[in-house]
Amino acid sequence: MKQIITDRRALHRIPELDRELDRTMAYLLGALKGLRCRVFAPIPNSLCAFFDNGCNSAIAFRCGCDGLPVHERSFLPYASQHPGQMHACGHDGHMAMLLELARRMENVRVSRNVLLIFQPAEETTGGARDICKSGVFEKYNVEAVFGMHLWPDLPLGTIASRAGAMMSRSCEVTLRFTGRSCSAACSDEGVDALRAAVEFYRRATEMIAAGPSDPPRLLHFGHMESLGPCNVVSDSARLEGTLRAFDDESFLGTLDALERIAAAVNAQTGCKIELETSMGYPALVNPPELCARVREAGVQFVDLEQPVMVTEDFSWYQRHLPGLFFLLGIGPCPALQAEDFNFDETALETGADFLESIALKYRA
């Protein structure tokens, strides 16, 4: 069995969440031991491997290391040994490809120094932002960073990207409705928080449906709750959803529209409404000039026809320095984040070859 597959399966057995990656980091340290790289942790539960090729600048390659709170039901011989935790989004494969790239960097000299980044908290709090704040890119004079994600919607072995917007900006949207409880028999004496939540939901979804489709945006509410007896006017309700868009103007304009809807529903119902949003991730936007430069160097990939309405904290790197993100096709397989997610491991060799080609051919 090739080492890249051995690495992937070993890491698949030990998924960990967020920034609690002790076993994962221990495995990566062991795999990097003895290679001609300097290994260090720019932030807790991360690793960097720096290959000094005697140059004045560097390029970087990054992968995420955290798993998801998913109970695995793949029944694979190398399935997760941690109940309720799973590499259901391919990060085990991402780490295996970067380890393979490290082994290949051992025996070649390229025109730039090479920095490999094994990052925590891609699935949760945005570990990429903390890597940027650590100063590691400035210390090693990194001029560009590259990343890759396994992708079921592409044919096996296909590598795709696109200049400009590729993945959406996102945040979580939470609304709290506070009314006044009373018996349903005298409902005019109360303020119905559940009714206000339903009215807000109706107006918000109608606003999105009636709005322009270009640039595309998404507002989806997946959770609504209002606890209490069935014969009592609800004094509280909660609505939770996600907002996504590919440009800041559309994203911020939608948030403003939600504030206006909340004010209108408050005026109509008398219910107090609090709207909160998470920080979320910026849109992932590939610089056209970097995309062209990589192509001109002879690195081959296909154009992704449309951006995808998912998020990736690689976008934080792109706000710090030029960065280019790729998708690696793994063909028909269970969906990302599914409890039975698995993929054809032959794609990993293709991905490692592609990353190596960037290291060998890229010129500033």
Side-chain angles (χ1 to χ4, degrees), residues 34-256:
L35 299 184
R36 64 168 187 88
C37 54
R38 177 175 175 242
V39 179
F40 60 97
I43 63 173
N45 274 306
S46 70
L47 276 181
C48 283
F50 180 68
F51 290 84
D52 189 345
N53 294 314
C55 306
N56 294 324
S57 61
I59 57 174
F61 298 86
R62 165 272 196 178
C63 71
C65 300
D66 52 328
L68 287 164
V70 173
H71 186 76
E72 182 163 3
R73 300 187 188 279
S74 68
F75 307 106
L76 296 166
Y78 49 88
S80 170
Q81 298 173 349
H82 298 167
Q85 302 179 27
M86 179 186 175
H87 275 302
C89 206
H91 289 191
D92 50 346
H94 302 168
M95 289 185 281
M97 288 189 289
L98 225 55
L99 288 176
E100 177 65 17
L101 181 61
R103 287 187 287 268
R104 296 184 186 188
M105 290 299 98
E106 180 76 4
N107 300 313
V108 298
R109 292 293 188 272
V110 299
S111 62
R112 294 288 182 276
N113 299 331
V114 174
L115 180 70
L116 308 183
I117 304 165
F118 297 87
Q119 177 209 305
E122 190 280 324
E123 300 285 3
T124 52
T125 53
R129 191 178 187 213
D130 295 329
I131 294 285
C132 291
K133 291 165 65 175
S134 75
V136 66
F137 294 124
E138 290 77 14
K139 180 176 181 179
Y140 291 97
N141 196 21
V142 176
E143 58 190 31
V145 60
F146 302 93
M148 178 179 285
H149 203 295
L150 304 184
W151 208 248
D153 293 333
L154 289 172
L156 180 65
T158 298
I159 295 172
S161 187
R162 72 189 313 269
M166 180 169 168
M167 294 182 173
S168 63
R169 179 174 176 175
S170 72
C171 75
E172 295 174 354
V173 179
T174 301
L175 292 114
R176 296 180 179 86
F177 302 80
T178 304
R180 185 172 63 251
S181 182
C182 69
S183 169
C186 48
S187 59
D188 289 346
E189 299 177 7
V191 176
D192 194 336
L194 178 57
R195 181 179 180 181
V198 171
E199 177 64 12
F200 180 94
Y201 176 87
R202 183 187 68 79
R203 293 192 184 200
T205 53
E206 286 182 356
M207 178 266 295
I208 292 294
S213 58
D214 188 23
R217 58 182 175 166
L218 178 150
L219 176 66
H220 175 78
F221 291 101
H223 180 83
M224 178 187 284
E225 67 176 20
S226 180
L227 304 178
C230 65
N231 61 343
V232 171
V233 170
S234 171
D235 65 356
S236 66
R238 183 182 179 95
L239 189 59
E240 297 177 353
T242 181
L243 170 63
R244 302 184 181 188
F246 294 106
D247 66 288
D248 288 349
E249 182 179 0
S250 177
F251 186 88
L252 297 174
T254 304
L255 285 180
D256 287 343

